[in-house]
Amino acid sequence: MPGFYLPSENEFDPSTDDFVLRSVSKERRYKHFDLPLRDSDVEREFDFSQEKDVHRFWPLLGYTDLARRYVRVKDDDGNWKRDVTGDFERTAVQKPRPIRFAGHEDAAYLQAYATHLNDFYERALAEDGTAGNVLAYRKGGGTNIHHAKSLFDEIVDHGNCIVVAMDISGFFDNLDHLLLRDEVAGLIGATRLEGHHGTVWKNVTRYSWVETVDLDARLGRNRKGNGRVCTPRDYVTHVQGRKNGLIRTHDQRFGIPQGTPVSGLYANIYLRTFDKMMVAWCKERGGSYRRYSDDIAVVLPLGSRATDVVASVEAMLAEFKLKVSVKKTETAVFKAGVLTSSKPIQYLGFTFDGTNTLIRPSSLAAYLGKMRRGIHAKLVAAKAKDVPSFEVYQRELRSRYTHAGKRRNFIRYAHKAADIMESPEIKQQVKKNATWFDRAWESEVSKVYGGMVTQ
Protein backbone atom coordinates (compact mmCIF):
# COMPACT_ATOMS: atom_id res chain seq x y z
CA MET A 1 0.00 0.00 0.00
CA PRO A 2 1.68 3.25 -1.13
CA GLY A 3 0.66 5.24 1.94
CA PHE A 4 3.33 3.39 3.92
CA TYR A 5 5.98 5.07 1.84
CA LEU A 6 4.60 8.40 0.65
CA PRO A 7 3.14 11.36 2.52
CA SER A 8 -0.53 12.11 1.90
CA GLU A 9 -0.99 13.29 -1.67
CA ASN A 10 -2.55 16.51 -2.84
CA GLU A 11 -6.11 15.47 -3.59
CA PHE A 12 -7.39 18.52 -5.41
CA ASP A 13 -4.81 20.46 -7.38
CA PRO A 14 -3.92 19.00 -10.78
CA SER A 15 -0.75 21.08 -10.97
CA THR A 16 2.49 19.12 -11.21
CA ASP A 17 4.39 20.70 -8.35
CA ASP A 18 7.01 17.98 -8.06
CA PHE A 19 8.12 18.59 -11.65
CA VAL A 20 8.57 22.36 -11.25
CA LEU A 21 12.26 23.16 -11.21
CA ARG A 22 13.95 24.63 -8.17
CA SER A 23 17.50 25.80 -7.57
CA VAL A 24 17.78 23.44 -4.57
CA SER A 25 16.19 20.12 -3.76
CA LYS A 26 12.86 20.28 -2.00
CA GLU A 27 12.36 18.51 1.30
CA ARG A 28 11.11 14.95 0.98
CA ARG A 29 10.11 12.92 4.02
CA TYR A 30 8.79 9.72 2.48
CA LYS A 31 10.46 6.39 3.22
CA HIS A 32 12.93 4.95 0.73
CA PHE A 33 16.06 2.80 0.74
CA ASP A 34 18.11 5.75 1.98
CA LEU A 35 17.41 8.21 4.78
CA PRO A 36 15.84 11.66 4.30
CA LEU A 37 18.50 14.29 3.73
CA ARG A 38 19.72 16.68 6.38
CA ASP A 39 19.05 20.38 5.86
CA SER A 40 22.65 20.97 4.82
CA ASP A 41 22.37 18.26 2.15
CA VAL A 42 19.03 19.53 0.88
CA GLU A 43 20.49 23.00 0.29
CA ARG A 44 23.80 21.94 -1.24
CA GLU A 45 24.81 22.82 -4.77
CA PHE A 46 26.09 20.40 -7.43
CA ASP A 47 28.87 21.12 -9.92
CA PHE A 48 27.88 19.67 -13.30
CA SER A 49 30.89 21.05 -15.15
CA GLN A 50 32.80 17.88 -14.28
CA GLU A 51 32.10 14.36 -13.08
CA LYS A 52 34.81 13.08 -10.76
CA ASP A 53 32.65 10.25 -9.43
CA VAL A 54 29.70 8.74 -11.29
CA HIS A 55 26.49 9.04 -9.28
CA ARG A 56 25.21 5.66 -8.13
CA PHE A 57 21.43 5.29 -8.05
CA TRP A 58 19.23 3.35 -5.70
CA PRO A 59 16.39 1.43 -7.35
CA LEU A 60 13.19 3.43 -7.57
CA LEU A 61 10.25 2.41 -5.43
CA GLY A 62 7.14 1.61 -7.41
CA TYR A 63 3.48 0.87 -7.03
CA THR A 64 0.39 0.87 -9.23
CA ASP A 65 -2.05 3.70 -8.66
CA LEU A 66 -5.56 2.80 -9.74
CA ALA A 67 -6.45 6.18 -11.21
CA ARG A 68 -10.19 6.70 -11.51
CA ARG A 69 -11.99 8.07 -14.57
CA TYR A 70 -15.63 9.02 -14.10
CA VAL A 71 -18.33 8.20 -16.65
CA ARG A 72 -22.08 8.90 -16.66
CA VAL A 73 -24.48 6.23 -15.42
CA LYS A 74 -28.11 5.52 -16.30
CA ASP A 75 -31.02 4.38 -14.15
CA ASP A 76 -33.19 1.33 -14.84
CA ASP A 77 -35.27 3.33 -17.30
CA GLY A 78 -32.26 4.33 -19.35
CA ASN A 79 -32.19 7.96 -18.16
CA TRP A 80 -29.07 9.73 -17.00
CA LYS A 81 -28.94 9.78 -13.20
CA ARG A 82 -28.27 12.98 -11.24
CA ASP A 83 -26.11 13.39 -8.11
CA VAL A 84 -26.47 15.70 -5.09
CA THR A 85 -25.08 18.64 -7.06
CA GLY A 86 -27.84 18.26 -9.64
CA ASP A 87 -25.29 17.27 -12.27
CA PHE A 88 -25.05 13.93 -14.03
CA GLU A 89 -24.09 11.09 -11.72
CA ARG A 90 -20.88 9.34 -12.65
CA THR A 91 -19.23 6.11 -11.67
CA ALA A 92 -15.53 5.45 -11.37
CA VAL A 93 -13.67 3.34 -13.92
CA GLN A 94 -10.22 2.39 -12.71
CA LYS A 95 -7.17 2.80 -14.91
CA PRO A 96 -3.84 1.36 -13.64
CA ARG A 97 -1.05 3.95 -13.54
CA PRO A 98 2.47 2.86 -12.55
CA ILE A 99 4.22 5.25 -10.15
CA ARG A 100 8.00 5.22 -9.63
CA PHE A 101 9.85 7.57 -7.26
CA ALA A 102 13.51 8.11 -6.46
CA GLY A 103 15.46 7.86 -3.22
CA HIS A 104 16.35 11.01 -1.32
CA GLU A 105 19.95 11.29 -2.50
CA ASP A 106 18.95 10.50 -6.07
CA ALA A 107 16.07 12.99 -6.01
CA ALA A 108 18.41 15.75 -4.82
CA TYR A 109 20.89 14.92 -7.57
CA LEU A 110 18.19 14.76 -10.27
CA GLN A 111 16.61 17.98 -9.01
CA ALA A 112 19.93 19.80 -9.30
CA TYR A 113 20.67 18.27 -12.69
CA ALA A 114 17.22 19.25 -13.99
CA THR A 115 17.87 22.83 -12.92
CA HIS A 116 21.21 22.74 -14.75
CA LEU A 117 19.70 21.26 -17.93
CA ASN A 118 16.75 23.64 -17.75
CA ASP A 119 19.07 26.59 -18.39
CA PHE A 120 19.80 25.12 -21.84
CA TYR A 121 16.11 24.48 -22.44
CA GLU A 122 14.93 27.96 -21.49
CA ARG A 123 17.54 29.55 -23.75
CA ALA A 124 16.37 27.31 -26.58
CA LEU A 125 12.74 28.28 -26.05
CA ALA A 126 13.69 31.95 -26.22
CA GLU A 127 15.62 31.39 -29.43
CA ASP A 128 12.83 29.27 -30.96
CA GLY A 129 10.14 31.76 -29.97
CA THR A 130 8.12 29.01 -28.28
CA ALA A 131 8.43 30.07 -24.63
CA GLY A 132 4.76 31.08 -24.55
CA ASN A 133 3.57 27.81 -26.06
CA VAL A 134 5.03 25.26 -23.63
CA LEU A 135 3.23 25.63 -20.32
CA ALA A 136 3.93 22.74 -17.93
CA TYR A 137 6.96 21.89 -15.78
CA ARG A 138 8.45 25.36 -15.94
CA LYS A 139 9.34 27.63 -13.05
CA GLY A 140 7.11 30.69 -12.76
CA GLY A 141 4.84 29.47 -15.54
CA GLY A 142 1.64 29.71 -13.51
CA THR A 143 -0.88 26.98 -12.65
CA ASN A 144 -3.33 25.07 -14.78
CA ILE A 145 -5.90 27.70 -13.75
CA HIS A 146 -3.89 30.52 -15.31
CA HIS A 147 -3.26 28.55 -18.49
CA ALA A 148 -6.91 27.60 -18.92
CA LYS A 149 -7.90 31.24 -18.41
CA SER A 150 -5.39 32.30 -21.05
CA LEU A 151 -7.01 29.99 -23.59
CA PHE A 152 -10.54 31.15 -22.73
CA ASP A 153 -9.48 34.81 -22.93
CA GLU A 154 -8.02 34.17 -26.38
CA ILE A 155 -11.32 32.64 -27.50
CA VAL A 156 -13.16 35.78 -26.39
CA ASP A 157 -10.62 38.00 -28.17
CA HIS A 158 -10.94 36.01 -31.39
CA GLY A 159 -14.71 35.99 -31.29
CA ASN A 160 -14.92 33.70 -34.31
CA CYS A 161 -12.83 30.55 -34.02
CA ILE A 162 -12.68 26.79 -33.73
CA VAL A 163 -10.89 25.23 -30.76
CA VAL A 164 -9.54 21.69 -30.73
CA ALA A 165 -8.20 20.19 -27.49
CA MET A 166 -6.27 16.94 -27.79
CA ASP A 167 -4.52 14.55 -25.43
CA ILE A 168 -1.33 12.62 -26.20
CA SER A 169 -1.95 8.96 -25.43
CA GLY A 170 0.36 7.38 -22.83
CA PHE A 171 2.77 10.30 -23.00
CA PHE A 172 5.54 9.36 -20.53
CA ASP A 173 5.11 5.64 -21.18
CA ASN A 174 5.90 6.00 -24.88
CA LEU A 175 8.85 8.40 -25.05
CA ASP A 176 11.42 6.75 -27.33
CA HIS A 177 14.80 6.55 -25.61
CA LEU A 178 16.95 7.23 -28.66
CA LEU A 179 14.83 10.18 -29.77
CA LEU A 180 15.08 11.57 -26.23
CA ARG A 181 18.85 11.11 -26.28
CA ASP A 182 19.15 12.94 -29.59
CA GLU A 183 16.93 15.83 -28.44
CA VAL A 184 18.96 16.29 -25.24
CA ALA A 185 22.23 16.10 -27.17
CA GLY A 186 21.00 18.66 -29.70
CA LEU A 187 19.87 20.93 -26.89
CA ILE A 188 23.30 21.04 -25.25
CA GLY A 189 25.15 21.15 -28.59
CA ALA A 190 26.75 17.72 -28.28
CA THR A 191 26.97 14.70 -30.57
CA ARG A 192 26.64 12.23 -27.69
CA LEU A 193 25.65 12.29 -24.04
CA GLU A 194 28.62 12.06 -21.70
CA GLY A 195 29.28 12.78 -18.04
CA HIS A 196 26.24 13.73 -15.98
CA HIS A 197 24.07 13.97 -19.11
CA GLY A 198 24.79 10.35 -19.98
CA THR A 199 24.46 9.16 -16.39
CA VAL A 200 21.01 10.66 -15.98
CA TRP A 201 19.74 9.56 -19.40
CA LYS A 202 20.85 5.95 -18.81
CA ASN A 203 19.33 5.75 -15.35
CA VAL A 204 16.02 7.40 -16.28
CA THR A 205 15.50 5.31 -19.43
CA ARG A 206 16.89 1.97 -18.26
CA TYR A 207 15.85 2.35 -14.66
CA SER A 208 15.55 -0.31 -11.97
CA TRP A 209 12.83 -0.42 -9.37
CA VAL A 210 11.27 -2.43 -6.55
CA GLU A 211 7.52 -2.89 -6.25
CA THR A 212 6.27 -2.00 -2.79
CA VAL A 213 3.94 -5.01 -2.81
CA ASP A 214 6.97 -7.29 -3.32
CA LEU A 215 8.80 -5.55 -0.49
CA ASP A 216 5.80 -5.93 1.83
CA ALA A 217 5.35 -9.60 0.89
CA ARG A 218 9.02 -10.40 1.52
CA LEU A 219 9.65 -8.35 4.67
CA GLY A 220 6.16 -7.54 6.01
CA ARG A 221 4.79 -4.11 6.77
CA ASN A 222 5.83 -3.94 10.42
CA ARG A 223 9.58 -4.00 9.76
CA LYS A 224 11.79 -1.44 11.46
CA GLY A 225 14.13 0.29 9.06
CA ASN A 226 15.05 3.22 11.31
CA GLY A 227 13.69 5.77 8.85
CA ARG A 228 14.20 3.61 5.76
CA VAL A 229 11.83 1.13 4.14
CA CYS A 230 14.15 -1.62 5.38
CA THR A 231 17.49 -2.00 7.12
CA PRO A 232 20.70 -1.97 5.04
CA ARG A 233 21.17 -5.65 5.90
CA ASP A 234 17.69 -6.56 4.64
CA TYR A 235 18.36 -4.56 1.49
CA VAL A 236 21.50 -6.56 0.70
CA THR A 237 20.00 -9.92 1.65
CA HIS A 238 16.42 -9.69 0.40
CA VAL A 239 16.16 -6.79 -2.04
CA GLN A 240 19.52 -7.03 -3.77
CA GLY A 241 19.82 -10.79 -3.21
CA ARG A 242 21.54 -12.64 -6.03
CA LYS A 243 19.05 -15.52 -6.29
CA ASN A 244 15.69 -14.11 -5.25
CA GLY A 245 16.24 -10.36 -5.36
CA LEU A 246 13.33 -7.96 -5.78
CA ILE A 247 14.95 -5.49 -8.16
CA ARG A 248 13.31 -5.24 -11.59
CA THR A 249 14.75 -3.53 -14.67
CA HIS A 250 12.90 -1.53 -17.31
CA ASP A 251 14.21 -3.20 -20.47
CA GLN A 252 11.94 -1.55 -23.05
CA ARG A 253 13.31 0.98 -25.53
CA PHE A 254 10.65 3.51 -24.64
CA GLY A 255 9.04 4.99 -21.54
CA ILE A 256 10.37 6.95 -18.56
CA PRO A 257 9.04 7.04 -14.98
CA GLN A 258 6.78 9.97 -14.12
CA GLY A 259 7.91 10.41 -10.54
CA THR A 260 11.45 11.80 -10.88
CA PRO A 261 12.43 15.49 -10.73
CA VAL A 262 13.79 15.38 -14.29
CA SER A 263 10.84 13.58 -15.91
CA GLY A 264 8.80 16.68 -16.75
CA LEU A 265 11.77 18.50 -18.27
CA TYR A 266 12.73 15.41 -20.27
CA ALA A 267 9.17 15.23 -21.62
CA ASN A 268 9.31 18.88 -22.70
CA ILE A 269 12.72 18.46 -24.34
CA TYR A 270 11.47 15.37 -26.16
CA LEU A 271 8.75 17.45 -27.86
CA ARG A 272 10.88 20.55 -28.51
CA THR A 273 11.01 19.92 -32.27
CA PHE A 274 7.32 18.99 -32.34
CA ASP A 275 6.43 22.21 -30.52
CA LYS A 276 8.31 24.26 -33.12
CA MET A 277 6.52 22.41 -35.91
CA MET A 278 3.12 23.02 -34.33
CA VAL A 279 3.76 26.72 -33.70
CA ALA A 280 4.76 27.19 -37.35
CA TRP A 281 1.78 25.13 -38.61
CA CYS A 282 -0.73 27.14 -36.59
CA LYS A 283 0.88 30.47 -37.46
CA GLU A 284 0.55 29.73 -41.18
CA ARG A 285 -3.19 29.29 -40.64
CA GLY A 286 -3.68 32.36 -38.47
CA GLY A 287 -4.08 30.38 -35.26
CA SER A 288 -2.27 29.51 -32.04
CA TYR A 289 -0.87 26.46 -30.27
CA ARG A 290 -0.24 25.65 -26.63
CA ARG A 291 0.78 22.47 -24.81
CA TYR A 292 0.51 21.66 -21.12
CA SER A 293 2.35 18.33 -20.72
CA ASP A 294 0.24 15.95 -22.83
CA ASP A 295 -2.70 18.38 -23.28
CA ILE A 296 -2.67 20.23 -26.60
CA ALA A 297 -4.98 23.11 -27.55
CA VAL A 298 -5.20 24.65 -31.02
CA VAL A 299 -7.21 27.78 -31.89
CA LEU A 300 -7.88 28.43 -35.59
CA PRO A 301 -10.12 30.76 -37.62
CA LEU A 302 -13.62 29.63 -38.58
CA GLY A 303 -13.67 27.42 -41.63
CA SER A 304 -10.94 25.14 -40.32
CA ARG A 305 -12.02 21.54 -40.01
CA ALA A 306 -11.41 19.71 -36.76
CA THR A 307 -10.75 16.44 -38.57
CA ASP A 308 -8.00 18.08 -40.60
CA VAL A 309 -6.46 19.55 -37.44
CA VAL A 310 -6.42 16.20 -35.66
CA ALA A 311 -5.04 14.42 -38.74
CA SER A 312 -2.20 16.95 -39.04
CA VAL A 313 -1.32 16.70 -35.35
CA GLU A 314 -1.40 12.91 -35.54
CA ALA A 315 0.96 12.96 -38.53
CA MET A 316 3.44 15.21 -36.73
CA LEU A 317 3.24 13.22 -33.50
CA ALA A 318 3.88 10.01 -35.42
CA GLU A 319 7.36 11.32 -36.22
CA PHE A 320 8.00 11.17 -32.48
CA LYS A 321 6.32 7.76 -32.06
CA LEU A 322 3.34 9.21 -30.19
CA LYS A 323 -0.41 9.21 -30.82
CA VAL A 324 -3.46 11.35 -30.15
CA SER A 325 -6.02 9.88 -27.76
CA VAL A 326 -9.03 10.13 -30.07
CA LYS A 327 -11.59 9.53 -27.32
CA LYS A 328 -10.34 12.55 -25.38
CA THR A 329 -10.39 15.00 -28.29
CA GLU A 330 -12.70 17.99 -27.68
CA THR A 331 -13.92 20.47 -30.31
CA ALA A 332 -15.91 23.68 -29.94
CA VAL A 333 -16.95 26.40 -32.38
CA PHE A 334 -17.47 30.03 -31.37
CA LYS A 335 -19.10 32.81 -33.40
CA ALA A 336 -18.98 36.37 -32.06
CA GLY A 337 -17.76 34.81 -28.83
CA VAL A 338 -20.84 32.62 -28.49
CA LEU A 339 -20.65 28.83 -28.46
CA THR A 340 -22.44 27.41 -31.52
CA SER A 341 -21.38 23.78 -31.21
CA SER A 342 -23.08 21.25 -28.94
CA LYS A 343 -20.53 21.13 -26.11
CA PRO A 344 -18.29 23.71 -24.42
CA ILE A 345 -14.54 23.33 -24.74
CA GLN A 346 -12.79 21.43 -21.94
CA TYR A 347 -9.21 22.27 -21.03
CA LEU A 348 -7.08 21.55 -17.95
CA GLY A 349 -10.04 20.70 -15.74
CA PHE A 350 -12.36 23.53 -16.80
CA THR A 351 -15.14 24.08 -19.35
CA PHE A 352 -15.92 27.30 -21.24
CA ASP A 353 -18.96 28.14 -23.38
CA GLY A 354 -18.09 31.73 -24.26
CA THR A 355 -19.82 33.10 -21.17
CA ASN A 356 -19.42 30.73 -18.23
CA THR A 357 -16.28 29.09 -16.94
CA LEU A 358 -16.88 26.03 -14.79
CA ILE A 359 -15.01 23.18 -13.19
CA ARG A 360 -15.67 20.19 -15.38
CA PRO A 361 -18.26 17.72 -14.04
CA SER A 362 -15.82 14.80 -13.88
CA SER A 363 -13.61 16.78 -11.49
CA LEU A 364 -16.57 17.38 -9.19
CA ALA A 365 -17.46 13.71 -9.42
CA ALA A 366 -13.90 12.78 -8.51
CA TYR A 367 -14.01 15.10 -5.50
CA LEU A 368 -17.31 13.62 -4.29
CA GLY A 369 -15.94 10.11 -4.76
CA LYS A 370 -12.84 10.88 -2.71
CA MET A 371 -15.01 12.41 -0.01
CA ARG A 372 -17.14 9.29 0.24
CA ARG A 373 -14.13 7.00 0.31
CA GLY A 374 -12.39 9.13 2.94
CA ILE A 375 -15.46 9.10 5.19
CA HIS A 376 -15.95 5.37 4.62
CA ALA A 377 -12.34 4.57 5.60
CA LYS A 378 -12.61 6.68 8.76
CA LEU A 379 -15.82 4.96 9.85
CA VAL A 380 -14.53 1.46 9.09
CA ALA A 381 -11.45 2.12 11.23
CA ALA A 382 -13.62 3.49 14.04
CA LYS A 383 -15.99 0.54 13.96
CA ALA A 384 -13.04 -1.88 14.09
CA LYS A 385 -12.11 -0.24 17.40
CA ASP A 386 -15.71 -0.48 18.68
CA VAL A 387 -16.16 3.30 18.53
CA PRO A 388 -19.85 4.18 18.02
CA SER A 389 -20.61 6.35 15.01
CA PHE A 390 -21.74 9.34 17.06
CA GLU A 391 -18.31 9.48 18.75
CA VAL A 392 -16.31 9.56 15.50
CA TYR A 393 -14.75 12.98 15.08
CA GLN A 394 -15.55 14.80 11.84
CA ARG A 395 -13.20 17.77 12.23
CA GLU A 396 -10.25 16.39 10.24
CA LEU A 397 -12.47 15.17 7.41
CA ARG A 398 -14.41 18.42 7.24
CA SER A 399 -11.10 20.23 6.99
CA ARG A 400 -10.11 17.95 4.11
CA TYR A 401 -13.35 18.05 2.12
CA THR A 402 -15.22 21.27 2.94
CA HIS A 403 -14.57 25.00 3.26
CA ALA A 404 -14.01 24.52 7.03
CA GLY A 405 -10.45 24.55 8.26
CA LYS A 406 -7.32 26.09 6.82
CA ARG A 407 -5.83 23.15 4.93
CA ARG A 408 -5.60 23.20 1.15
CA ASN A 409 -8.38 21.17 -0.41
CA PHE A 410 -10.59 20.95 -3.46
CA ILE A 411 -13.05 23.59 -2.23
CA ARG A 412 -10.30 26.11 -1.60
CA TYR A 413 -8.85 25.25 -4.99
CA ALA A 414 -12.26 25.94 -6.54
CA HIS A 415 -12.49 29.30 -4.77
CA LYS A 416 -9.00 30.18 -5.96
CA ALA A 417 -9.99 29.23 -9.51
CA ALA A 418 -13.14 31.36 -9.26
CA ASP A 419 -11.07 34.39 -8.24
CA ILE A 420 -8.40 33.94 -10.92
CA MET A 421 -10.94 33.14 -13.63
CA GLU A 422 -13.23 35.96 -12.44
CA SER A 423 -15.92 33.30 -12.50
CA PRO A 424 -18.36 33.45 -9.56
CA GLU A 425 -20.27 30.55 -11.10
CA ILE A 426 -17.48 28.22 -9.93
CA LYS A 427 -18.21 29.15 -6.33
CA GLN A 428 -21.86 28.43 -7.03
CA GLN A 429 -20.85 24.95 -8.18
CA VAL A 430 -19.38 24.08 -4.77
CA LYS A 431 -21.44 26.24 -2.41
CA LYS A 432 -23.30 23.19 -1.04
CA ASN A 433 -20.10 21.37 -0.06
CA ALA A 434 -21.06 21.20 3.62
CA THR A 435 -24.43 19.70 2.69
CA TRP A 436 -22.73 17.17 0.43
CA PHE A 437 -20.47 16.19 3.32
CA ASP A 438 -23.42 15.75 5.70
CA ARG A 439 -25.27 13.58 3.19
CA ALA A 440 -22.18 11.49 2.47
CA TRP A 441 -21.56 11.08 6.20
CA GLU A 442 -25.09 9.87 6.85
CA SER A 443 -24.94 7.51 3.88
CA GLU A 444 -21.63 5.98 4.92
CA VAL A 445 -22.68 5.65 8.56
CA SER A 446 -25.67 3.67 7.35
CA LYS A 447 -23.46 1.43 5.20
CA VAL A 448 -20.76 0.83 7.80
CA TYR A 449 -22.88 0.65 10.97
CA GLY A 450 -25.96 -0.81 9.33
CA GLY A 451 -28.15 2.14 10.18
CA MET A 452 -28.03 1.31 13.89
CA VAL A 453 -26.96 4.69 15.22
CA THR A 454 -27.85 5.43 18.83
CA GLN A 455 -26.70 8.17 21.12
Side-chain angles (χ1 to χ4, degrees):
M1 185 174 179
F4 180 79
Y5 306 93
L6 290 172
S8 59
E9 295 184 14
N10 188 321
E11 294 187 342
F12 65 96
D13 192 345
S15 65
T16 48
D17 180 67
D18 198 48
F19 288 141
V20 176
L21 299 172
R22 299 171 177 81
S23 58
V24 296
S25 176
K26 81 176 201 178
E27 182 181 29
R28 294 174 170 87
R29 291 297 177 187
Y30 52 78
K31 286 188 176 182
H32 214 284
F33 294 118
D34 60 342
L35 292 170
L37 300 179
R38 297 171 299 180
D39 292 342
S40 58
D41 291 327
V42 170
E43 297 178 357
R44 65 181 162 163
E45 299 288 343
F46 289 80
D47 181 8
F48 292 99
S49 63
Q50 55 184 328
E51 188 176 36
K52 295 179 180 179
D53 299 310
V54 177
H55 184 85
R56 302 296 180 184
F57 285 79
W58 291 95
L60 304 174
L61 271 177
Y63 65 93
T64 299
D65 177 42
L66 296 177
R68 290 175 171 84
R69 184 169 60 89
Y70 289 82
V71 297
R72 294 182 185 180
V73 295
K74 293 183 177 180
D75 58 24
D76 295 337
D77 298 324
N79 300 314
W80 295 115
K81 298 174 69 175
R82 301 272 180 174
D83 59 24
V84 294
T85 70
D87 207 332
F88 293 110
E89 185 174 329
R90 287 171 166 78
T91 187
V93 177
Q94 291 184 329
K95 178 182 178 181
R97 183 169 63 103
I99 302 296
R100 313 275 185 260
F101 56 102
H104 301 284
E105 180 75 23
D106 298 338
Y109 171 76
L110 291 173
Q111 184 87 60
Y113 171 76
T115 301
H116 170 71
L117 184 61
N118 187 62
D119 289 340
F120 291 91
Y121 181 62
E122 289 295 332
R123 285 197 295 270
L125 290 183
E127 293 172 1
D128 297 339
T130 57
N133 306 95
V134 183
L135 310 177
Y137 317 134
R138 296 177 60 202
K139 187 177 181 180
T143 69
N144 65 300
I145 303 172
H146 295 91
H147 297 311
K149 184 179 187 301
S150 175
L151 173 63
F152 302 156
D153 287 346
E154 182 178 339
I155 292 171
V156 173
D157 292 340
H158 268 276
N160 301 312
C161 61
I162 178 174
V163 187
V164 183
M166 292 157 279
D167 183 273
I168 301 174
S169 180
F171 187 26
F172 286 87
D173 296 336
N174 289 293
L175 300 186
D176 183 86
H177 295 166
L178 295 184
L179 289 179
L180 174 62
R181 179 200 64 188
D182 293 344
E183 286 289 349
V184 174
L187 179 70
I188 63 176
T191 56
R192 57 183 299 177
L193 297 183
E194 298 179 322
H196 295 280
H197 298 292
T199 297
V200 173
W201 175 78
K202 290 176 184 177
N203 282 277
V204 172
T205 55
R206 192 174 177 80
Y207 60 90
S208 61
W209 86 98
V210 175
E211 288 287 339
T212 57
V213 292
D214 293 344
L215 198 61
D216 293 343
R218 178 70 58 87
L219 300 176
R221 287 181 55 81
N222 295 322
R223 58 189 178 274
K224 295 182 179 180
N226 297 320
R228 309 170 189 252
V229 297
C230 65
T231 64
R233 176 177 293 182
D234 281 339
Y235 177 82
V236 172
T237 304
H238 298 289
V239 178
Q240 201 178 37
R242 294 182 179 180
K243 293 184 178 180
N244 299 307
L246 302 178
I247 299 176
R248 309 185 189 191
T249 301
H250 180 72
D251 56 3
Q252 303 294 320
R253 296 181 178 180
F254 51 85
I256 65 173
Q258 294 188 41
T260 80
V262 76
S263 297
L265 177 60
Y266 260 5
N268 274 346
I269 292 172
Y270 185 89
L271 286 184
R272 181 188 164 209
T273 301
F274 170 79
D275 291 331
K276 290 190 291 183
M277 293 166 60
M278 281 300 305
V279 168
W281 186 88
C282 289
K283 186 176 182 180
E284 288 177 0
R285 291 157 179 80
S288 68
Y289 159 82
R290 49 173 55 76
R291 179 178 63 81
Y292 188 96
S293 186
D294 57 354
D295 289 305
I296 294 171
V298 172
V299 180
L300 292 172
L302 285 179
S304 304
R305 296 177 54 180
T307 53
D308 293 339
V309 176
V310 174
S312 296
V313 173
E314 285 182 325
M316 283 184 268
L317 276 178
E319 297 184 32
F320 303 89
K321 301 184 180 181
L322 296 172
K323 298 179 180 179
V324 170
S325 179
V326 178
K327 292 182 179 179
K328 296 182 179 179
T329 299
E330 301 277 345
T331 303
V333 178
F334 296 85
K335 293 182 179 179
V338 177
L339 179 72
T340 60
S341 51
S342 59
K343 295 192 302 182
I345 193 66
Q346 290 196 43
Y347 188 62
L348 301 184
F350 299 92
T351 66
F352 182 66
D353 64 2
T355 302
N356 296 311
T357 301
L358 297 170
I359 293 175
R360 66 180 182 182
S362 60
S363 297
L364 285 173
Y367 153 70
L368 291 170
K370 288 177 180 179
M371 177 194 291
R372 288 191 293 268
R373 292 192 298 274
I375 292 173
H376 183 85
K378 177 87 170 182
L379 292 171
V380 167
K383 185 180 180 181
K385 296 179 181 179
D386 295 324
V387 177
S389 62
F390 61 85
E391 289 186 4
V392 182
Y393 291 115
Q394 298 183 13
R395 181 185 301 173
E396 192 274 336
L397 290 178
R398 285 189 179 276
S399 177
R400 182 184 300 177
Y401 298 116
T402 75
H403 63 276
K406 296 182 179 180
R407 66 179 295 166
R408 300 168 67 204
N409 61 21
F410 179 83
I411 302 303
R412 291 187 175 275
Y413 167 75
H415 287 182
K416 176 181 177 182
D419 292 338
I420 294 175
M421 295 276 195
E422 299 178 351
S423 173
E425 53 266 27
I426 291 179
K427 291 184 178 179
Q428 289 295 312
Q429 282 184 285
V430 299
K431 70 177 182 179
K432 295 182 179 179
N433 63 88
T435 301
W436 300 339
F437 181 91
D438 292 338
R439 291 177 181 174
W441 183 272
E442 292 173 5
S443 174
E444 295 305 322
V445 165
S446 179
K447 292 178 183 177
V448 174
Y449 285 85
M452 300 176 62
V453 184
T454 58
Q455 202 165 358

